[in-house]
Amino acid sequence: MNMDVELINWIVIIIGQILITIGVFCDFVAALLMIRFPNFYIRLHALTIGSIGGAVVPAVGAALIAIGSPFLGTFRWFLAGGALVVALFIFILGGAGSHAIARATYRAKIVEYRPCYIDQLAEDIGEDGC
Amino acid sequence: MESWVINFLTIAMFFYIASFLLYIVRLLKGPTISDMVLAIDALGYDLAAFLIILSILFRNPILIPCSIVLTLWIYALDIYVAKYLEAKEMSE
């Protein structure tokens, strides 16, 4: 019986570590893109890479690692539950928050993007196009 | 098994700190207000995930409520700045 439980713990930990590796890689790439991208609207993509790939995936991975590591003691279930709640919150709030900021920035015309070829939102609203 | 997990998490921590520094560079360089808000967003969400990894390393569950509240505050910051930028009114 003890051998099976040990094996399951190892599998869960390995899966958690794979998720954390993906998350850390996504996070580092998003940080680089956040600096390299030319203007605000393209940086929104870097933000959602950093928040979804860089925060939700490692949070789920950390939850799996917490479940699979009995040396943490009984509080690891609380830790796994809390990590999944944080992952759900970031998953929902990340997109909503960046959408709110993008709408406000567009409406307030804070960012002007020089090579502007077509602006369909402006045409929909009725303002003059690009 | 324990040392295997602890060593892995400490290595992951350094990459997290490196990406925090890159976000802070964008925060300081950001030409407009909304760029800074973007940097704070990404920084805050990654800090929440970082707190969870730290709570595994420190074997102490007290950091989990802190990361939940941090996530909600980062979203609230988004909404406040969006309301201010668009309608010039703080949501009284």
Side-chain angles (χ1 to χ4, degrees):
Chain A
M1 173 52 195
N2 187 8
M3 205 38 224
D4 305 342
V5 173
E6 198 63 33
L7 188 61
I8 292 172
N9 284 343
W10 268 105
I11 291 173
V12 168
I13 281 186
I14 296 296
I15 293 174
Q17 284 176 340
I18 290 171
L19 285 181
I20 283 195
T21 316
I22 295 171
V24 164
F25 173 71
C26 265
D27 198 27
F28 196 72
V29 164
L32 280 179
L33 292 185
M34 191 67 101
I35 291 176
R36 293 295 301 169
F37 273 159
N39 62 26
F40 168 79
Y41 295 108
I42 303 178
R43 261 181 233 127
L44 276 172
H45 178 53
L47 167 69
T48 36
I49 292 177
S51 65
I52 303 298
V56 170
V57 170
V60 172
L64 287 181
I65 284 185
I67 290 173
S69 57
F71 64 87
L72 282 178
T74 59
F75 83 89
R76 65 183 190 276
W77 307 107
F78 171 75
L79 202 145
L84 290 179
V85 165
V86 169
L88 183 69
F89 272 162
I90 298 178
F91 195 68
I92 294 174
L93 299 181
S98 54
H99 188 277
I101 280 290
R103 173 194 148 94
T105 309
Y106 183 81
R107 288 291 168 88
K109 292 183 178 51
I110 289 175
V111 175
E112 80 286 340
Y113 36 93
R114 283 275 63 71
C116 169
Y117 303 109
I118 183 167
D119 186 346
Q120 286 166 342
L121 181 55
E123 287 149 14
D124 294 348
I125 297 175
E127 296 158 2
D128 51 357
C130 177
Chain B
M1 176 204 293
E2 176 175 346
S3 60
W4 168 259
V5 169
I6 300 299
N7 295 341
F8 173 80
L9 290 180
T10 42
I11 292 168
M13 247 175 31
F14 293 123
F15 285 102
Y16 259 108
I17 292 168
S19 59
F20 285 160
L21 296 179
L22 293 177
Y23 283 131
I24 288 172
V25 166
R26 168 49 55 192
L27 180 67
L28 300 179
K29 216 170 70 164
T32 60
I33 298 174
S34 41
D35 286 314
M36 296 178 194
V37 170
L38 274 195
I40 293 175
D41 265 9
L43 201 65
Y45 288 140
D46 288 345
L47 209 58
F50 187 63
L51 282 178
I52 296 171
I53 292 178
L54 279 186
S55 68
I56 295 180
L57 282 177
F58 294 156
R59 293 178 179 76
N60 185 349
I62 198 61
L63 290 175
I64 296 298
C66 169
S67 65
I68 292 176
V69 170
L70 173 65
T71 307
L72 295 173
W73 265 113
I74 293 297
Y75 175 67
L77 168 82
D78 265 356
I79 300 302
Y80 280 137
V81 173
K83 274 177 89 71
Y84 174 71
L85 288 182
E86 188 172 342
K88 289 295 177 287
E89 46 97 15
M90 280 308 288
S91 51
E92 276 82 15

